[in-house]
Amino acid sequence: MRLDEVIRAVEVHAGGEPGRVIVGGVHEVPGATMLEKRNHLWLQGDRLRKLMLREPRGYPALCANVVLPATRPEADAGYVIMEQAEYPAMSGSNTICTATVLINEGMVTVTEPITSLVLEAPAGLILIQAEVREGKARSITFENVPAFVHRLDAPVEVPQVGTVIVDVAWGGMFYALADASALGFRLTPDEGRDLVRIGEMVKAAAREQIPVAHPEQPELAGISIMEWTGPPSVPGADAKNTVVVSSGTLDWERPESFTGVLDRSPCGTGTCARMAVLHARGQLAIGQDFVHEGILGTTWTGRLLRETTVGSQAAVVPQLTGSAWITGHTEYRVDDDDPFPDGFTVGDLWGLTD
């Protein structure tokens, strides 16, 4: 992998969730597939993630996406998603951010009123239908990789909390989903600190007690994210959620390690995982719209397109529609005498530091 002296990025948010899109300065990332490229960045090129997401260039709620040449001929572009604690195989908000940037910056062929794209994520090919007016993407609709349920109503023993009932589902990442009201939460922004702390504890316990791996890509293993669910609070929404994104490595021996941030958006892969759960319970039909609300009151619309299988696992193909907005264009560099070439974390925001 080679990095230029200057790395160019477009700053963007989807439903409030920031998703920096790196459009220049990263070259020759090894790998025959986007998953292999993601693995290389994670295992051998992690400096880029630290540079982009840690202070002074980043902050805990920020995600980043590296736009790369696709490895499959049917794809228009590839991208690798970077978050504070992992490299997800798929992310809805980051897909919406990346597709919006590719269209608005003229990096792909744009047609109005609909631009069709195929993007290559580490999880697979993502089909995009973008509503475009006056050269700008007004909304992004994407067909996600198949979603499926691994467990329903699984009891998890959480130290200091007690027994929590979770569903485990794949929506592009493995989620533990839990009813917020069962622990007294209303899913409002003022509850953010407690939602994060308890959510991280539930996730850590679920990951230890419920092993899981993708049937066709076994290296995609383990519950890596937690979703609180609840009733809607804005007109027209069917349900509400907030997803807890880790900002570091969890350690039961160090309670201060249970830190993270709430996804500011309605969460794309979280919405897909929840739709899979609802379908498995007979509460969401194929072709039925599902309007999902996030912690800020923004909404995205999901829909299950059809049933399918993943290996021997029953699954559904989800679709999601949301919008993103560009907030700026930036160039990042590291001077030779910069004391923080890989960024830094401080315990006031980040919990455990390294």
Side-chain angles (χ1 to χ4, degrees):
M1 185 178 76
R2 178 172 60 85
L3 300 181
D4 289 344
E5 181 179 340
V6 174
I7 296 174
R8 295 185 294 108
V10 180
E11 311 299 327
V12 61
H13 79 85
E17 178 73 355
R20 177 174 293 160
V21 180
I22 300 168
V23 297
V26 181
H27 309 278
E28 301 167 9
V29 178
T33 66
M34 206 55 55
L35 181 60
E36 290 184 5
K37 291 179 183 294
R38 168 257 207 183
N39 293 345
H40 176 87
L41 284 167
W42 196 342
L43 299 175
Q44 301 181 51
D46 196 42
R47 183 196 170 199
L48 177 65
R49 180 187 64 87
K50 295 176 180 177
L51 179 71
M52 288 288 102
L53 296 186
R54 294 181 172 185
E55 298 179 74
R57 300 165 189 86
Y59 58 101
L62 181 64
C63 304
N65 305 274
V66 187
V67 175
L68 298 171
T71 68
R72 296 177 61 170
E74 60 266 53
D76 295 281
Y79 62 116
V80 171
I81 306 151
M82 302 186 296
E83 294 185 353
Q84 296 293 350
E86 64 173 325
Y87 288 72
M90 176 55 185
S91 165
S93 65
N94 283 291
T95 296
I96 293 170
C97 287
T98 300
T100 297
V101 167
L102 290 171
I103 291 168
N104 290 16
E105 298 297 303
M107 298 174 66
V108 293
T109 301
V110 178
T111 59
E112 299 189 21
I114 299 296
T115 293
S116 299
L117 298 174
V118 178
L119 300 184
E120 184 186 0
L125 295 178
I126 310 298
L127 308 181
I128 306 284
Q129 293 285 309
E131 179 188 354
V132 181
R133 296 196 309 272
E134 298 177 349
K136 291 186 177 181
R138 306 296 176 171
S139 71
I140 302 294
T141 298
F142 68 88
E143 182 178 314
N144 197 7
V145 295
F148 56 86
V149 172
H150 175 67
R151 292 276 298 276
L152 292 176
D153 297 323
V156 174
E157 299 305 320
V158 184
Q160 306 174 43
V161 176
T163 303
V164 178
I165 303 301
V166 303
D167 301 319
V168 178
W170 169 269
M173 307 163 71
F174 278 114
Y175 281 83
L177 301 91
D179 177 13
S181 64
L183 279 82
F185 291 122
R186 297 170 292 118
L187 297 186
T188 54
D190 61 291
E191 297 175 332
R193 188 178 298 274
D194 290 332
L195 285 166
V196 165
R197 180 176 60 85
I198 301 299
E200 286 291 84
M201 295 171 71
V202 171
K203 184 193 79 173
R207 183 178 177 88
E208 291 177 358
Q209 297 169 36
I210 307 175
V212 61
H214 193 282
E216 296 180 341
Q217 296 173 294
E219 63 195 284
L220 301 177
I223 297 167
S224 65
I225 199 160
M226 191 270 168
E227 180 175 359
W228 292 111
T229 66
S233 60
V234 299
D238 296 303
K240 188 173 185 177
N241 85 108
T242 192
V243 164
V244 183
V245 182
S246 299
S247 60
T249 301
L250 307 181
D251 183 351
W252 285 109
E253 301 300 320
R254 304 177 68 181
E256 68 272 22
S257 73
F258 288 90
T259 60
V261 296
L262 297 180
D263 189 325
R264 273 69 171 139
S265 78
C267 189
T269 54
T271 297
C272 294
R274 190 167 190 192
M275 288 195 295
V277 168
L278 291 173
H279 183 71
R281 295 187 187 280
Q283 298 172 353
L284 184 68
I286 299 296
Q288 179 181 349
D289 281 352
F290 176 69
V291 180
H292 214 192
E293 177 189 351
I295 194 71
L296 299 179
T298 54
T299 60
W300 288 345
T301 300
R303 179 184 297 175
L304 298 179
L305 300 179
R306 57 190 178 274
E307 295 179 336
T308 187
T309 57
V310 177
S312 60
Q313 173 76 56
V316 286
V317 177
Q319 172 184 283
L320 191 79
T321 300
S323 299
W325 293 266
I326 290 175
T327 60
H329 296 75
T330 49
E331 292 185 347
Y332 295 96
R333 67 183 70 232
V334 179
D335 289 338
D336 291 340
D337 58 352
D338 188 328
F340 305 112
D342 294 334
F344 60 83
T345 61
V346 179
D348 60 340
L349 290 179
W350 300 84
L352 291 180
T353 63
D354 56 16

